Amino acid sequence: MTEKLRVAVIGAGRMGADHVDRIQHRINGAEIAAVVDVDLARAEAAVAGVPGAVALTSAEEALNNGDVNAVLVATPGFLHEDILHAALAKGFPILCEKPLTPDAASSLRIVQAEAALGRKLIQVGFMRRFDSEYMALRNIIEERGLGELLMLHHQHRNPDTLPGFTNEMLINDSVVHEFDAIRYFTGEEISSVQVRMGKRTRTAPEGQNDPQHVLIETESSVLADVEIYVNAKFGYEVATQATFEDGIVNIGNDSGPYIRTQGRWGGQVTPGFIERFGAAYDVEIQAWVDAALRGGIGGPSAWDGYATAACCEAGVKAQKTGAKTAVVLVEKPALYAEAPTAMGELRGAASLP
Ligand code: ISE
C-alpha cells in the first residue's frame, strides 16, 4: 500500500467536519485530499485551511480523483450503500460511520460484495470500542478475574434530539451503539430484543416515546438492558454497569475535576457525544489509518455493521409488538471468522485492583 492515506471525506456535516479536523491535525499517516458535500459551501468550509484539498459535490468525482486513495463516509446512512459499493470496486480502504447501511438486507449486500473481494476494506465507525474504559471492561470480562459476566446494564442519555428524530431512530441511531457494545463486550451475537415503552417525558416531541427500555439477550444468555433517554436535558451520559459472579464494574461515570467552592461540591456534565468520545474517535481513526497502510482494518468490520443492522430491525419490530423478537443472521462468511488483529494491540490495560 502507499505511505500515506489521501482521504476523501464524503459528507461535511458535524461528524464529517470533525473527522477532517482530526485527520488534518492529530492523525499520523493520513491527510485530506477531498471533501464532498451536496452543499458545496459546507465542503468548502471544511477544506478551508487544508492545503491541496478540493471541495466537491459528487462522491463519484472524489473516488475518481487520482489524488484520492481512501474514503471516510460520513453522510446520512441512506446514502452509504452506493458509496460503499463504488469504493469497494476501487479497492480503497474505507471508514464508514455507523450505520453501515440503514437495513440488514443492504448491509448483507455490502458484506457479500466485500467477501467476494476476499479482503476486509471496510471498518465501521463504532467508536465506543476505542474508549479506554470500554477496552478495560472488555479485558476484565475476557480475563475472568471476577468470574463470568452475567448482566450488562446500560444508560444512554442525550440532552435532546434534532427535529424529526423518530421513535425508530431511538433504536437505529442510538441503541445501535449498545447493540455493538454488547457484542464487543461478550464476543457473542445478540439473540433477541424486546422494547418496553412506559411513561413519556413531557419534553418528548409528538410521536416519540421517550424514554424506552430495551431488553437484550446474547447467545449464552447474558442479559442486558438499555435505558435510552434522548431528551434527558441535563447533558450527555453513556454508562454501563456490569454484573459478574464475583463483583460489579462501572464505566462511563463522569469524572474529571471535582470542585468544592462556595459551599457546594461537584463537576461538569459532559455536553454531547463529540466531547464524551473525542479521545476515542482519535484512537479509532489512527487505528484505521495504521491498519489500512498495512492492508487491513483496525476495528469493527462490515459483519459488525450487518449484525447490528439486524439487531436494529428486530428492535424496531419489537417497539411495535412489545414482543421478544429473535435476531436472525445469515451464516458468517469465512472472511469475518477472526477479529481484526489491531484490536488485540488496542486492548486496554486490565484494571482490576
Ligand atoms: C448519535 O448519532 C450518536 O451516534 C451518539 O453517539 C448517540 O449518543 C446519539 O444517540 C445518536 O443520535
Side-chain angles (χ1 to χ4, degrees):
M1 177 90 218
T2 51
E3 281 172 16
K4 240 182 189 203
L5 294 194
R6 299 274 305 153
V7 183
V9 174
I10 321 265
R14 186 160 51 155
M15 268 329 299
D18 196 51
H19 283 316
V20 170
D21 178 63
R22 168 170 296 109
I23 290 173
Q24 200 54 26
H25 297 113
R26 297 194 292 286
I27 299 297
N28 293 316
E31 51 199 27
I32 299 295
V35 176
V36 178
D37 201 283
V38 276
D39 178 354
L40 184 61
R42 206 153 73 152
E44 282 170 346
V47 294
V50 183
V54 290
L56 303 168
T57 53
S58 136
E60 195 188 344
E61 206 183 327
L63 293 174
N64 290 320
N65 178 318
D67 201 24
V68 167
N69 64 11
V71 183
L72 192 157
V73 185
T75 62
F78 73 93
L79 295 170
H80 288 189
E81 187 181 8
D82 288 350
I83 300 170
L84 290 172
H85 282 296
L88 281 176
K90 284 273 180 188
F92 287 166
I94 303 158
L95 187 291
C96 181
E97 270 303 335
K98 62 91 195 167
L100 179 64
T101 67
D103 58 84
S106 53
S107 287
L108 182 57
R109 288 195 288 274
I110 297 293
V111 162
Q112 287 164 339
E114 191 181 52
L117 285 177
R119 62 196 178 111
K120 290 182 200 158
L121 289 172
I122 301 174
Q123 180 173 326
V124 180
F126 287 123
M127 76 297 187
R128 292 190 190 179
R129 292 184 182 217
F130 299 88
D131 175 77
S132 58
E133 289 190 62
Y134 266 65
M135 292 194 270
L137 175 55
R138 180 169 149 152
N139 270 3
I140 293 170
I141 294 169
E142 276 196 340
E143 288 175 354
R144 292 189 163 70
L146 297 178
E148 287 292 315
L149 173 72
L150 305 174
M151 289 193 182
L152 290 164
H153 307 287
H154 298 272
Q155 296 87 43
H156 186 167
R157 297 169 182 138
N158 295 176
D160 45 34
T161 48
L162 294 170
F165 202 90
T166 59
N167 239 3
E168 290 78 12
M169 286 170 81
L170 267 75
I171 299 292
N172 291 333
D173 208 52
S174 302
V175 179
V176 64
H177 282 294
E178 275 77 22
F179 289 140
D180 184 64
I182 292 162
R183 297 176 63 259
Y184 166 70
F185 287 138
T186 61
E188 295 176 29
E189 294 298 352
I190 288 171
S191 53
S192 73
V193 183
Q194 188 180 357
V195 181
R196 302 196 310 162
M197 299 194 198
K199 204 165 179 176
R200 291 173 68 221
T201 175
R202 68 183 187 289
T203 54
E206 189 64 28
Q208 192 193 74
N209 277 84
D210 184 42
Q212 297 180 20
H213 192 211
V214 185
L215 307 174
I216 294 161
E217 213 169 318
T218 71
E219 289 166 318
S220 78
S221 299
V222 172
L223 299 183
D225 60 272
V226 184
E227 176 196 308
I228 179 65
Y229 184 16
V230 295
N231 298 279
K233 302 300 170 197
F234 70 87
Y236 189 85
E237 184 180 27
V238 164
T240 300
Q241 184 177 72
T243 304
F244 292 83
E245 289 172 309
D246 299 318
I248 303 291
V249 177
N250 281 84
I251 60 166
N253 302 103
D254 276 325
S255 56
Y258 173 90
I259 301 165
R260 275 164 285 172
T261 181
Q262 297 176 348
R264 299 172 70 86
W265 53 261
Q268 300 283 321
V269 176
T270 309
F273 64 87
I274 297 272
E275 296 81 3
R276 167 69 175 82
F277 291 109
Y281 282 120
D282 286 354
V283 180
E284 172 195 50
I285 299 301
Q286 190 64 64
W288 171 59
V289 170
D290 292 347
L293 291 172
R294 292 194 301 264
I297 62 169
S301 68
W303 175 265
D304 298 303
Y306 158 70
T308 49
C311 293
C312 288
E313 264 183 27
V316 168
K317 203 163 151 198
Q319 278 182 321
K320 298 192 169 96
T321 62
K324 178 170 158 178
T325 305
V327 177
V328 183
L329 301 177
V330 300
E331 199 179 322
K332 198 191 252 191
L335 179 65
Y336 305 101
E338 280 178 22
T341 49
M343 289 307 284
E345 292 158 28
L346 280 168
R347 289 205 178 134
S351 56
L352 280 182

